[in-house]
Amino acid sequence: DAGVIQSPRHEVTEMGQEVTLRCKPISGHDYLFWYRQTMMRGLELLIYFNNNVPIDDSGMPEDRFSAKMPNASFSTLKIQPSEPRDSAVYFCASSKTGTGGGGYTFGSGTRLTVV
Amino acid sequence: KQEVTQIPAALSVPEGENLVLNCSFTDSAIYNLQWFRQDPGKGLTSLLLIQSSQREQTSGRLNASLDKSSGRSTLYIAASQPGDSATYLCAGNTGFQKLVFGTGTRLLVSP
């Protein structure tokens, strides 16, 4: 199993540009999570999906952020327009129903820098 | 709202020492408590999961305990090695598949 795959690993963009982060969860996992990690705020849950349906997006900071999961094997997190304060590491994770923490597998993250 | 605190924020020890990392949470209505390890520039690796009905879990040199009544969990690392150097994060799950993370303990084990 290749684990949770995120792309790109690094992204540098100019303020105002659109940024799209991608995630492929582990096959068979029915939950998908997007987290953001910064030095100041640590790890924050942005949004999570169950069976491709968004369940809780209360962590999405602003309307500039949007996430989709068109099928069980792909999800995107989009920021439009991007701002310097969006600079962070964005992690995707997946899990199976009912296993909670034990089933969580994290990707290697996308390091986003907005200049 | 669940809040998770980790103490100490950083720890430096010589190789071979036994050490304890602490995690406290504000909401005792916790479904499970998980410990992760994060290496620089990497994702999170799950170490141990303690379900609400359990009091501890062990894996090799690692032992994690959970005391819901006091809102605390500890991670015990026996005979520390330089390869244990990383940031250790605890996370509480209140039953809605959402993990709330602590701020982490940065561990450095010197040869």
Side-chain angles (χ1 to χ4, degrees):
Chain A
D1 194 332
V4 176
I5 300 173
Q6 291 187 247
S7 64
R9 289 296 308 275
H10 302 273
E11 177 80 32
V12 180
T13 190
E14 292 185 347
M15 182 174 63
Q17 296 297 307
E18 177 180 297
V19 175
T20 299
L21 312 181
R22 298 172 176 79
C23 175
K24 176 179 170 58
I26 290 177
S27 177
H29 282 193
D30 55 347
Y31 280 87
L32 183 139
F33 307 83
W34 283 100
Y35 283 85
R36 177 172 69 175
Q37 186 176 37
T38 61
M39 288 294 292
M40 292 298 295
R41 301 174 67 90
L43 271 160
E44 302 173 284
L45 177 64
L46 300 177
I47 185 172
Y48 76 97
F49 296 82
N50 178 221
N51 291 323
N52 314 336
V53 176
I55 303 300
D56 185 347
D57 65 354
S58 61
M60 296 285 263
E62 299 172 34
D63 291 344
R64 298 184 296 107
F65 286 69
S66 62
K68 295 181 179 180
M69 192 165 185
N71 57 62
S73 59
F74 184 66
S75 176
T76 59
L77 178 67
K78 184 178 294 186
I79 308 172
Q80 165 63 22
S82 59
E83 297 182 3
R85 60 192 167 125
D86 301 331
S87 297
V89 181
Y90 291 81
F91 287 105
C92 176
S94 67
S95 75
K96 289 182 180 179
T97 297
T99 58
Y104 277 77
T105 303
F106 279 78
S108 298
T110 295
R111 182 173 297 277
L112 174 65
T113 302
V114 183
V115 299
Chain B
K1 179 184 175 183
Q2 179 72 271
E3 294 184 0
V4 182
T5 304
Q6 290 188 246
I7 296 173
L11 182 62
S12 183
V13 300
E15 181 177 7
E17 276 204 7
N18 302 322
L19 54 99
V20 176
L21 308 182
N22 296 292
C23 171
S24 61
F25 43 93
T26 56
D27 187 351
S28 62
I30 196 164
Y31 183 66
N32 59 44
L33 192 290
Q34 185 169 11
W35 285 90
F36 291 88
R37 166 186 174 140
Q38 185 175 27
D39 293 285
K42 304 290 186 181
L44 280 70
T45 301
S46 177
L47 296 174
L48 290 166
L49 166 68
I50 310 175
Q51 299 283 5
S52 179
S53 60
Q54 299 173 328
R55 295 186 66 88
E56 66 177 331
Q57 283 289 318
T58 298
S59 177
R61 295 182 294 108
L62 304 180
N63 175 275
S65 64
L66 174 63
D67 184 345
K68 292 178 60 182
S69 62
S70 65
R72 292 178 59 188
S73 177
T74 59
L75 178 66
Y76 176 82
I77 302 177
S80 58
Q81 302 172 357
D84 295 331
S85 298
T87 296
Y88 290 80
L89 296 146
C90 66
N93 184 337
T94 54
F96 297 99
Q97 291 289 340
K98 297 196 297 185
L99 288 183
V100 178
F101 283 87
T103 51
T105 294
R106 192 169 60 254
L107 173 66
L108 176 63
V109 181
S110 305

